[in-house]
Amino acid sequence: RRVLSLELNKDRDVERIHGSGVNTLNIEPVEGRYMLSGGSDGVIVLYDLANCSRKPYYTCKTVCTVGKSHPDVHKFSVETVQWYPHDTGIFTSSSFDKTLKIWDTNTLQVADVFHFEGTVYSHHMSPVATKHCLIAVGTKSHKVQLCDLKSGSCSHILPGHRGEVLAVSWSPRHEYILATASADSRVKLWDVRRASSCLITVDQHNGEKSKASSETANTAHNGRVNGLCFTADGLHFLTTGTDDRMRLWNSSSGENTLVNYGKVCNDSKKGLKFTVSDGCSPDFVFVPYDSTIAVYTLYAGELITMLRGHYSDVDCCIFQSNFQELYSGSKDCNILAWIPAMREPAPDEDSEKSGPQTHLNPAFQDAWSSSDEEG
């Protein structure tokens, strides 16, 4: 419920290091303290989000940077960064320079490099895997590649897409289930243990195409599918497409839930990095929308607010569930922190001071009121 009042944090800055747009952000899941950012100039920055100063106003400081002078810096735009899910000693990055790099955090040296034939748009490691160390990689070539962190080789190739693979994501519920989104308008679910790995190619019409339709294959969108994100429980996943639509799908059946989010402007030529909340009631979706971030209710599709603070297009956002905070990166080179507005009084004073709550969306008045007021 606190997320309803997210606002720009005036007491916290994130140190500005990037000299060009910020494409990707990732917060490590172990402590929720360290954040990676990747820039369109190839630079990677590691931040400490903790307030070590003990003062109300503070700046999230840089711990280290893979800058232009670093011998292993990416030559072109970094599209995805991700921490190793179980240990902050390793992080990964992929780039338009056709490489995926595995980094030792402590020495800031490259431990391994995977090379690909085409531009790398997206990569992802499973947050729950215990039996494999596979990194799914989406590239300009139409095949999804699985790289084994243990052996250092590309162990699997998943054929089936007919266009660039712009987004990949492992299920947070089942360690062998992978979702992929492509410029061919299709979204596929895979079980990587199976020889014929593709389980479902999801269908926006749920099998009820009009007879006049000339489509012979299932499509998720009427355009490039450039965004993909599972809900925290893994029961659903969201996709965004250049048809200016966002869709919510059932992860097990592949069914389109038909939640209507309205027009979600999206003309990104590459992957769109959006995110969902975790532990909120109700849960929310945060989607870069020009120079703002649109906040929708996940299951009702209602546009709650637009977060304004960036001066140029927002390219990515990430949710920090421990403190229900949001971080966003933009072409304006800034990373902004958004926090719940501390406007409501202490719980025991709620019934006395309900006045200031009137600024909230009326649809959510009840969500903020105490049981005394409801009675």
Side-chain angles (χ1 to χ4, degrees):
R1 289 183 294 191
R2 301 170 70 204
V3 173
L4 289 174
S5 63
L6 271 180
E7 65 180 18
L8 195 58
N9 189 344
K10 297 178 180 64
D11 296 325
R12 184 183 321 177
D13 283 331
V14 179
E15 189 175 357
R16 180 168 168 163
I17 300 294
H18 287 283
S20 62
V22 181
N23 289 335
T24 172
L25 297 169
N26 189 242
I27 299 173
E28 47 84 15
V30 181
E31 294 178 77
R33 174 174 176 175
Y34 297 102
M35 180 171 73
L36 290 166
S37 65
S40 55
D41 56 358
V43 170
I44 298 170
V45 184
L46 195 164
Y47 301 91
D48 186 348
L49 302 179
N51 183 1
C52 301
S53 70
R54 299 189 178 179
K55 296 175 182 174
Y57 179 86
Y58 72 102
T59 299
C60 297
K61 290 290 188 183
T62 304
V63 178
C64 55
T65 303
V66 180
K68 285 295 194 182
S69 60
H70 193 287
D72 295 313
V73 68
H74 282 290
K75 293 181 176 64
F76 302 120
S77 175
V78 175
E79 292 301 302
T80 311
V81 289
Q82 188 191 4
W83 289 98
Y84 181 62
H86 312 295
D87 181 359
T88 54
I90 301 172
F91 69 87
T92 58
S93 62
S94 59
S95 164
F96 277 4
D97 66 9
K98 306 178 183 179
T99 65
L100 164 68
K101 296 186 178 183
I102 317 299
W103 299 84
D104 181 318
T105 311
N106 299 311
T107 64
L108 220 59
Q109 299 299 311
V110 170
D112 207 348
V113 185
F114 295 91
H115 296 272
F116 303 93
E117 291 175 8
T119 301
V120 183
Y121 290 104
S122 174
H123 78 268
H124 193 233
M125 285 178 283
S126 168
V128 294
T130 56
K131 299 184 180 69
H132 73 76
C133 284
L134 296 174
I135 307 174
V137 185
T139 70
K140 194 164 188 174
S141 81
H142 305 169
K143 302 179 186 73
V144 179
Q145 310 220 29
L146 302 182
C147 300
D148 193 329
L149 202 55
K150 284 183 177 172
S151 69
S153 64
C154 282
S155 59
H156 293 61
I157 289 176
L158 307 178
H161 282 297
R162 297 175 188 171
E164 304 135 304
V165 180
L166 300 174
V168 296
S169 183
W170 293 96
S171 163
R173 194 175 189 86
H174 303 290
E175 65 175 286
Y176 291 104
I177 302 299
L178 175 70
T180 60
S182 169
D184 64 6
S185 304
R186 294 175 177 85
V187 172
K188 292 178 180 287
L189 288 172
W190 314 77
D191 181 339
V192 300
R193 293 169 298 184
R194 294 166 37 147
S196 53
S197 300
C198 187
L199 295 172
I200 307 169
T201 301
V202 302
D203 177 18
Q204 60 181 306
H205 306 291
N206 287 336
E208 298 176 7
K209 295 193 186 83
S210 68
K211 291 175 183 174
S213 172
S214 60
E215 290 177 30
T216 54
N218 293 350
T219 57
H221 288 265
N222 299 323
R224 298 155 64 89
V225 191
N226 57 8
L228 176 63
C229 182
F230 275 93
T231 57
D233 59 14
L235 295 176
H236 295 87
F237 65 91
L238 288 139
T239 58
T240 55
T242 54
D243 56 358
D244 293 341
R245 290 287 176 263
M246 180 161 66
R247 297 200 164 96
L248 181 72
W249 308 85
N250 181 303
S251 300
S252 56
S253 67
E255 184 178 6
N256 181 359
T257 63
L258 304 177
V259 174
N260 182 8
Y261 298 95
K263 185 177 182 180
V264 183
C265 282
N266 173 9
D267 58 1
S268 176
K269 302 282 192 296
K270 51 186 187 177
L272 183 73
K273 307 288 196 294
F274 68 102
T275 191
V276 293
S277 66
D278 180 7
C280 301
S281 180
D283 273 313
F284 299 90
V285 193
F286 305 95
V287 188
Y289 198 123
D290 295 331
S291 63
T292 69
I293 300 151
V295 184
Y296 299 89
T297 51
L298 177 57
Y299 297 109
E302 183 179 358
L303 177 62
I304 299 300
T305 188
M306 306 287 278
L307 302 178
R308 303 177 193 279
H310 284 289
Y311 300 109
S312 188
D313 287 355
V314 179
D315 282 328
C316 57
C317 52
I318 191 84
F319 190 72
Q320 210 281 32
S321 56
N322 296 8
F323 301 105
Q324 294 188 356
E325 299 170 331
L326 185 77
Y327 292 85
S328 58
S330 163
K331 285 187 172 67
D332 64 13
C333 309
N334 291 317
I335 298 171
L336 299 183
W338 309 84
I339 58 159
M342 298 304 177
R343 290 180 182 141
E344 53 177 342
D348 57 345
E349 298 173 7
D350 274 2
S351 55
E352 301 169 31
K353 302 180 181 178
S354 57
Q357 296 173 9
T358 54
H359 69 282
L360 287 170
N361 183 326
F364 291 90
Q365 289 284 336
D366 288 346
W368 281 76
S369 58
S370 69
S371 54
D372 293 345
E373 290 172 311
E374 287 168 1

